Amino acid sequence: MPSLDEKRFRKAFEFAEEAHRGQIRKDGETPYIAHPVAAVEILVSLKADEDTLISALLHDVPEDTDKTLKEIGEMFGDKVEFLVDGITKLSKVQYQKNMPDRQVESLKKLLLHSAKDIRVIIIKLADRLHNMTTLGNIDNAEKRLRIATETLEIYVPIANLLGIRELKSRLEDMCFKFMFPSEYNNLKKKIDSGREKRKKYVARFIEVIEKEAEKNKIKIGVYEREKNLYSIYKSLCALGKTVDSVDDRVGIVVIVESIKDCYQILGLIHLKFAPLTKKFKDYIANPKGNGYQSLHTNVFGVDGVSTEVQIRTKEMDIEADFGMAINFLGGYSADKAPSGHTNDSKWLKNVVKISEDKEVSENFIEDLKLDVLQDRIVVLTPRGRPVDLPKGACVIDFAYAIHTNLGNHAQKAELNGKLVPITSTLETRDVVKIITSKEVSPDLSWLHFVKTNLAKTKILSYLKKISKVAKISKGKELLQTELDILHMGLVTNLGLKKLNKGLVVSTGKLFVSLNEIFEAIGEGKIGTFQVIEALGNDAVNGESGGKWISIKVVAKNRFRLMQDVYEVLYKYANDMNTFKGWVSKNADMAYFISDVLVKNSKHISKIFHELNRVEGVISVTKTSRRGLWLSVALGSFLALVWIIHPVLIRMSTQSPFGGQFPNLVQNTIYFGLFLMFGALIFYVKLIGKFFPLARKKRSLWFVVFLLPIIATSMLAVEILYFDLMLSWWVIFIEMIFMYLYIGINYADFSRFREDRD
Ligand code: MN
């Protein structure tokens, strides 16, 4: 650092060393000065400027020693005084009675100072990173966890917003280590053990690429990019997968001299190795919210090994690690700094807005987390007005962000000119046009998809206002959908006692009727999964890998449908095999069947909901071999009995038995009738449970209505033909019972239908 004023820097060190002399770090032996020095080292690696380094040396002086901020200002100037002041917490004396308030107010001060000079927060991040590396020295486990949580929830997102990947990854992994030690250790072992193999593979891949680049006279540098452990863990969690199923994906970064070379080398790689087109991202033409630029692609590399390749220029690479920091720190000259970043970033303005709120409240931290510290995307209205949303937000979030009525009546959307459902996830630079309909109103299922607090509040407040009857039928429908997915029968057959036993644990409330439970679901007070968990019927208990189930998808055929269905299963299932697809004769419809490995019922539902979101999908069902076998076996048995029963009657009425046991024959036939009645009930239940879609078919109900009539007419013929001594009354009463049962079931079903329509 040729520009460094060595004398001034040395003076700062000596000042800090003297001020902290006699103080010892938590490990009981290291002198305190080692901590500010370590923070300086981190900042040097970020190419921080002189004032930043000096402020880092002095950052704990005013708070922990006799020396004051004023003295620092007099010795090192206003800038340093301002930077150190931003990091220094508010006085303990003033907040003795309410230390949490002191925390909140100190954080506000830190952020307000950072908004004026971003170097404040960068020093704080370096300070926090060193404190995290020595966190093990704190004896109190609760305190350790509190600090790690705070780091993960506040400082990691800030590092991310600033685009300082270097700091973000290191902070994240330290938090991960203290918050989930066993997962951390497992994953670390797994990644460490695969390193040798990956290194060998990377060397081969690099050799191929370098040869290609040389042939085309492009200068490149290639290095392996190891993802940090926490980001691997996060993506595993998001997919509901366990540490065991982490795949050996290799990450490679190719550095070139110009943007033109980026695209050229991309072309060469795609010609050499087959790309997974869906995974291609052009962040050069469309930089990320924090300014990050690069080309991302996934290819089947040497020997078909899945390889993630990132291609960028040298400047972009530096920026990928240091992000916004380079615009504010002096290490890189201004003309080298790429254009992706702007000083007046929107989130900093938001921080100021939230921080300036006079009221001291716990909401400050919550607001900060929800509205500022998430990854953001920027979506455009048809007129080009930018709307700022959290990453993962869907069309509904967008609609509510513009106007409540637009959200309440959003029916579908035009996304970049293409019609999509309102649950579609948005990406930066999407142009969204909402199509409304008076018929549409907020639906509880929307809560699954929305990301913003605003949309959630609006949906819930709308649902609160709707009538009790509507809430009940809504809740019933939602619960039935989940029960159908899991083959758990009809909502009306649920036992209140059993439900209450489970629900009282999770909700602390006893429900007086099933309807009250449905109403609570319909209002969003309890979730369908709380009910399913209360049933204790989480059939799939998947600590050890899970359970295989078979899923069938029916969809309207279209271009790339199979790829989309496959990708959902690949992404969300723990494992899959025997994926099969075929189309109807005129290729209108497509069918897919696959065995997938799932963790639990919630996981099954997640997969179902994601499949249902695929464009064109009509139905998703869990096919059940047990249900199929039971139905086929019962059906064949009934058919067999039906076919041979006239023979039996004939045999029993003729000699040598003929006439000898008239009562026996008569009773057997009565018994047979009741058996048939029982079989019918069982059959309807069986179908309802294992083939929920069949329940919705009118043709099936027609057959059910017809069967008793056919059976009874045949019986009448038999009575006359064989001259049986049967009471017409018994048959009549039996008929009435049967139709009563069918009628009740049908009424239940058609009420559902109306609700749905
Ligand atoms: Mn410190």
Side-chain angles (χ1 to χ4, degrees):
M1 218 178 152
S3 64
L4 185 83
D5 181 346
E6 209 182 310
K7 239 172 136 185
R8 186 168 172 242
F9 186 79
R10 193 175 288 277
K11 198 168 101 187
F13 171 78
E14 277 159 4
F15 182 79
E17 197 273 332
E18 201 199 310
H20 285 297
R21 199 171 289 164
Q23 291 177 351
I24 301 289
R25 293 282 288 173
K26 281 266 155 50
D27 65 353
E29 47 188 76
T30 316
Y32 196 90
I33 190 69
H35 164 65
V37 167
V40 168
E41 274 171 12
I42 293 166
L43 288 165
V44 166
S45 77
L46 291 173
K47 314 251 189 237
D49 66 348
E50 190 180 304
D51 276 350
T52 310
L53 298 181
I54 286 178
S55 305
L57 275 176
L58 303 169
H59 80 267
D60 277 332
V61 167
E63 194 177 324
D64 297 338
T65 74
D66 306 334
K67 301 276 190 294
T68 64
L69 196 62
K70 223 177 131 206
E71 286 172 71
I72 290 176
E74 277 159 13
M75 287 176 78
F76 301 100
D78 292 350
K79 269 275 165 244
V80 171
E81 185 183 338
F82 181 82
L83 294 176
V84 174
D85 185 26
I87 304 157
T88 307
K89 284 186 188 153
L90 294 165
S91 134
K92 274 180 197 162
V93 185
Q94 204 184 331
Y95 283 93
Q96 230 159 18
K97 276 186 196 140
N98 200 341
M99 289 309 262
D101 274 0
R102 178 187 179 231
Q103 295 267 357
V104 172
E105 287 301 305
S106 298
L107 182 59
K108 271 191 190 178
K109 181 181 158 205
L110 174 80
L111 292 170
L112 282 172
H113 273 68
S114 304
K116 287 190 191 128
D117 191 331
I118 199 89
R119 291 177 295 181
V120 173
I121 190 75
I122 293 169
I123 299 168
K124 180 70 195 180
L125 289 174
D127 168 45
R128 185 47 73 102
L129 179 58
H130 182 249
N131 281 336
M132 286 299 297
T133 53
T134 56
L135 193 60
N137 295 330
I138 292 179
D139 293 328
N140 185 342
E142 213 172 287
K143 194 175 171 194
R144 274 202 309 260
L145 199 63
R146 186 178 57 79
I147 294 174
T149 311
E150 185 191 56
T151 305
L152 196 62
E153 291 184 342
I154 310 268
Y155 295 105
V156 166
I158 289 176
N160 182 42
L161 283 169
L162 291 168
I164 315 176
R165 196 181 61 192
E166 174 73 17
L167 278 180
K168 181 202 162 205
S169 312
R170 285 169 70 185
L171 278 171
E172 264 184 347
D173 280 1
M174 296 310 300
C175 297
F176 183 32
K177 185 177 159 188
F178 285 103
M179 291 170 81
F180 308 98
S182 71
E183 285 87 347
Y184 173 86
N185 287 328
N186 279 346
L187 191 59
K188 192 168 179 336
K189 234 184 262 162
K190 206 119 191 188
I191 299 294
D192 286 348
S193 71
R195 190 164 287 124
E196 269 312 296
K197 210 176 111 196
R198 277 201 308 276
K199 285 263 179 290
K200 271 188 200 147
Y201 170 79
V202 168
R204 286 173 64 200
F205 191 87
I206 291 178
E207 206 184 295
V208 176
I209 301 230
E210 277 180 341
K211 217 180 263 170
E212 285 297 311
E214 210 184 294
K215 259 195 261 167
N216 291 276
K217 301 206 171 62
I218 304 172
K219 269 195 197 155
I220 61 166
V222 191
Y223 65 89
E224 187 195 356
R225 186 185 68 96
E226 255 195 38
K227 267 193 177 178
N228 69 317
L229 293 176
Y230 187 65
S231 72
I232 299 173
Y233 179 70
K234 255 199 317 199
S235 56
L236 285 173
C237 287
L239 303 176
K241 295 185 178 180
T242 57
V243 169
D244 297 316
S245 58
V246 61
D247 52 0
D248 257 345
R249 198 167 293 188
V250 182
I252 280 173
V253 180
V254 181
I255 305 297
V256 292
E257 287 183 322
S258 69
I259 291 183
K260 202 178 117 212
D261 286 353
C262 288
Y263 290 101
Q264 220 164 354
I265 204 83
L266 175 81
L268 292 176
I269 291 172
H270 279 186
L271 283 176
K272 195 83 197 163
F273 304 112
L276 217 90
T277 41
K278 271 251 156 143
K279 293 273 173 85
F280 174 70
K281 292 257 165 64
D282 185 346
Y283 291 123
I284 291 182
N286 294 314
K288 278 194 185 179
N290 61 12
Y292 173 82
Q293 286 185 299
S294 191
L295 296 176
H296 286 193
T297 186
N298 251 279
V299 296
F300 297 103
V302 182
D303 297 336
V305 175
S306 176
T307 310
E308 291 178 1
V309 186
Q310 303 183 348
I311 305 164
R312 50 183 171 251
T313 63
K314 181 126 205 267
E315 288 77 20
M316 290 173 189
D317 191 49
I318 292 165
E319 189 166 317
D321 283 334
F322 305 130
M324 219 179 259
I326 36 175
N327 281 0
F328 302 96
L329 306 175
Y332 290 94
S333 62
D335 59 305
K336 261 196 181 169
S339 55
H341 298 314
T342 46
N343 296 10
D344 62 339
S345 66
K346 188 143 188 215
W347 73 269
L348 271 175
K349 280 185 191 153
N350 277 338
V351 167
V352 175
K353 216 165 74 191
I354 297 176
S355 306
E356 278 172 348
D357 207 337
K358 294 260 165 6
E359 263 176 65
V360 181
S361 67
E362 285 163 34
N363 285 346
F364 167 68
I365 305 255
E366 283 314 305
D367 288 350
L368 190 72
K369 276 195 245 168
L370 268 170
D371 296 334
V372 181
L373 298 183
Q374 290 192 33
D375 271 5
R376 313 295 291 181
I377 56 168
V378 179
V379 187
L380 303 169
T381 66
R383 286 187 184 166
R385 188 186 126 199
V387 178
D388 181 64
L389 294 167
K391 196 178 166 190
C394 69
V395 175
I396 307 169
D397 290 300
F398 172 83
Y400 277 113
I402 294 179
H403 195 274
T404 306
N405 272 339
L406 203 61
N408 282 345
H409 301 295
Q411 187 188 29
K412 47 196 168 182
E414 251 178 47
L415 185 63
N416 307 323
K418 203 175 132 202
L419 269 186
V420 295
I422 51 169
T423 50
S424 309
T425 314
L426 300 172
E427 307 251 359
T428 287
R429 299 218 176 180
D430 277 343
V431 179
V432 191
K433 186 183 166 191
I434 304 286
I435 296 162
T436 54
S437 157
K438 274 187 186 155
E439 319 280 292
V440 176
S441 60
D443 191 296
L444 201 55
S445 66
W446 291 7
L447 293 174
H448 285 304
F449 302 105
V450 297
K451 275 272 144 44
T452 52
N453 228 13
L454 179 80
K456 254 176 217 162
T457 326
K458 298 269 179 194
I459 294 167
L460 284 174
S461 81
Y462 184 94
L463 291 173
K464 228 179 187 166
K465 280 183 237 154
I466 60 174
S467 76
K468 192 173 169 173
V469 182
K471 277 184 225 168
I472 291 175
S473 78
K474 187 82 232 167
K476 236 171 154 179
E477 186 197 323
L478 281 172
L479 186 57
Q480 187 63 59
T481 311
E482 296 299 332
L483 291 183
D484 283 350
I485 291 173
L486 300 166
H487 289 174
M488 286 167 75
L490 289 170
V491 278
T492 38
N493 294 339
L494 294 176
L496 182 65
K497 249 192 193 162
K498 193 175 175 191
L499 274 177
N500 260 333
K501 234 187 220 168
L503 281 175
V504 81
V505 180
S506 59
T507 66
K509 193 180 165 201
L510 274 177
F511 293 89
V512 286
S513 69
L514 278 178
N515 272 350
E516 206 190 338
I517 295 178
F518 300 149
E519 190 187 341
I521 298 173
E523 211 180 43
K525 273 191 194 151
I526 61 173
T528 47
F529 263 93
Q530 276 174 287
V531 178
I532 283 166
E533 269 155 26
L535 286 169
N537 210 346
D538 208 354
V540 193
N541 264 319
E543 288 300 313
S544 53
K547 178 188 168 184
W548 286 96
I549 60 160
S550 194
I551 288 181
K552 184 176 178 189
V553 179
V554 180
K556 225 172 143 304
N557 200 11
R558 64 168 168 86
F559 182 55
R560 295 186 105 149
L561 173 72
M562 179 153 166
Q563 191 178 351
D564 291 348
V565 170
Y566 184 87
E567 255 175 36
V568 168
L569 293 176
Y570 175 79
K571 188 168 167 200
Y572 291 100
N574 272 1
D575 195 2
M576 63 187 286
N577 61 36
T578 60
F579 179 83
K580 268 182 274 180
W582 66 96
V583 291
S584 60
K585 258 190 191 149
N586 52 7
D588 268 2
M589 303 291 291
Y591 308 89
F592 306 96
I593 282 192
S594 181
D595 286 344
V596 294
L597 186 64
V598 292
K599 218 166 49 178
N600 50 32
S601 354
K602 209 167 189 165
H603 189 189
I604 299 179
S605 272
K606 174 82 187 155
I607 296 173
F608 268 62
H609 287 299
E610 289 299 332
L611 282 172
N612 272 317
R613 286 173 81 183
V614 174
E615 192 193 329
V617 166
I618 294 166
S619 75
V620 184
T621 41
K622 183 174 140 203
T623 62
S624 158
R625 293 208 180 89
R626 193 162 68 105
L628 197 67
W629 273 111
L630 267 173
S631 323
V632 169
L634 188 67
S636 336
F637 174 73
L638 288 177
L640 195 73
V641 171
W642 189 253
I643 289 164
I644 62 169
H645 90 272
V647 183
L648 292 176
I649 294 176
R650 199 191 165 92
M651 268 169 61
S652 56
T653 49
Q654 280 176 356
S655 46
F657 310 108
Q660 281 184 29
F661 310 103
N663 283 339
L664 181 71
V665 173
Q666 199 183 344
N667 290 339
T668 311
I669 291 176
Y670 286 146
F671 179 68
L673 274 173
F674 278 103
L675 204 69
M676 221 174 69
F677 183 31
L680 183 83
I681 293 175
F682 187 66
Y683 216 62
V684 169
K685 273 201 193 281
L686 201 69
I687 286 177
K689 197 166 166 180
F690 290 107
F691 307 100
L693 286 182
R695 198 174 59 223
K696 290 164 198 154
K697 281 203 175 119
R698 283 196 188 273
S699 54
L700 181 94
W701 285 100
F702 184 68
V703 173
V704 171
F705 272 113
L706 219 59
L707 271 177
I709 296 181
I710 298 173
T712 317
S713 338
M714 278 186 70
L715 190 65
V717 173
E718 280 167 3
I719 290 172
L720 296 175
Y721 183 79
F722 293 114
D723 212 8
L724 296 173
M725 305 284 287
L726 289 184
S727 160
W728 289 100
W729 273 111
V730 174
I731 295 165
F732 181 66
I733 289 169
E734 174 116 23
M735 282 280 280
I736 286 183
F737 268 120
M738 263 199 230
Y739 276 106
L740 216 58
Y741 178 74
I742 296 172
I744 289 170
N745 267 288
Y746 182 72
D748 244 11
F749 150 78
S750 56
R751 217 177 315 145
F752 256 123
R753 241 182 121 85
E754 275 159 32
D755 293 346
R756 254 168 237 227
D757 295 345

